[in-house]
Amino acid sequence: MLKSWKSKLDFNNSFVAKLHLCVEQYKSCFNYKSYSTPRFIAMNSNPSQGSDKSLEAMRHFSETYAQRTGTYFCVDPSVTAVVIEGLAKHKDDLGAPLCPCRHYEDKQAEAAAAYWNCPCVPMRERKECHCMLFLTPDNDFAGEQQHITFDDIRAVTSQPH
């Protein structure tokens, strides 16, 4: 029994380490500094951000999809904010909300293929969201929220390094 507990702990530590690395990568992509000390700058002055219109569309989509599928946003709201911002940026740049959490050799081709457009095929088929935007209630990182405000997203993604 102790061995089983230890292997689960090792898995959780590994998963937490991967999550931390993922969040750090998000932070660098969106000029994120710290959620606890927001510094507001002019709306949409950051070239890494999506337009206000696309951000609002992706925010509304995310809330609606979470409610419809019984999933929840990550317990860390900064993860939710940077993923939604990334979706909005891709919607502006590519015409489709391509998953911002993956590396692509050709983003335009991937957006056209639609496999990784949000909600991606793994999310639609198995409720597996690589970005940790839509989490099932049994996921250790699932929060209790299915809502996030436009201002909360911009407060995170408008942060200077």
Side-chain angles (χ1 to χ4, degrees), residues 42-140:
M43 289 295 192
N44 242 3
S45 66
N46 185 337
S48 298
Q49 292 179 322
S51 66
D52 289 356
K53 180 179 178 183
S54 290
L55 182 62
E56 180 56 26
M58 291 294 91
R59 185 196 67 76
H60 179 70
F61 156 76
S62 298
E63 288 182 348
T64 302
Y65 191 78
Q67 291 168 8
R68 189 167 52 95
T69 59
T71 57
Y72 295 87
F73 295 149
C74 184
V75 68
D76 180 350
S78 66
V79 171
T80 303
V82 295
V83 172
I84 294 173
E85 184 76 63
L87 291 170
K89 179 67 173 156
H90 280 167
K91 187 166 174 54
D92 287 340
D93 295 348
L94 306 169
L98 184 66
C99 173
C101 305
R102 306 187 73 78
H103 172 74
Y104 308 99
E105 292 298 321
D106 184 346
K107 287 184 180 183
Q108 199 67 49
E110 290 290 346
Y115 186 88
W116 292 114
N117 291 348
C118 191
C120 64
V121 171
M123 181 61 206
R124 290 186 305 237
E125 291 180 354
R126 301 180 301 277
K127 288 192 177 180
E128 294 175 1
C129 181
H130 172 80
C131 296
M132 297 185 65
L133 179 59
F134 304 114
L135 300 171
T136 56
D138 61 331
N139 187 300
D140 291 339

Side-chain angles (χ1 to χ4, degrees), residues 9-71:
L9 181 63
D10 289 342
F11 169 79
N12 284 338
N13 285 338
S14 170
F15 189 75
V16 168
K18 287 177 187 175
L19 173 63
H20 179 71
L21 178 62
C22 225
V23 169
E24 291 303 312
Q25 289 172 343
Y26 292 153
K27 289 177 183 178
S28 68
C29 289
F30 293 102
N31 297 327
Y32 171 92
K33 185 175 180 182
S34 168
Y35 188 74
S36 61
T37 57
R39 278 198 226 153
F40 295 92
I41 60 175
M43 289 295 192
N44 242 3
S45 66
N46 185 337
S48 298
Q49 292 179 322
S51 66
D52 289 356
K53 180 179 178 183
S54 290
L55 182 62
E56 180 56 26
M58 291 294 91
R59 185 196 67 76
H60 179 70
F61 156 76
S62 298
E63 288 182 348
T64 302
Y65 191 78
Q67 291 168 8
R68 189 167 52 95
T69 59
T71 57

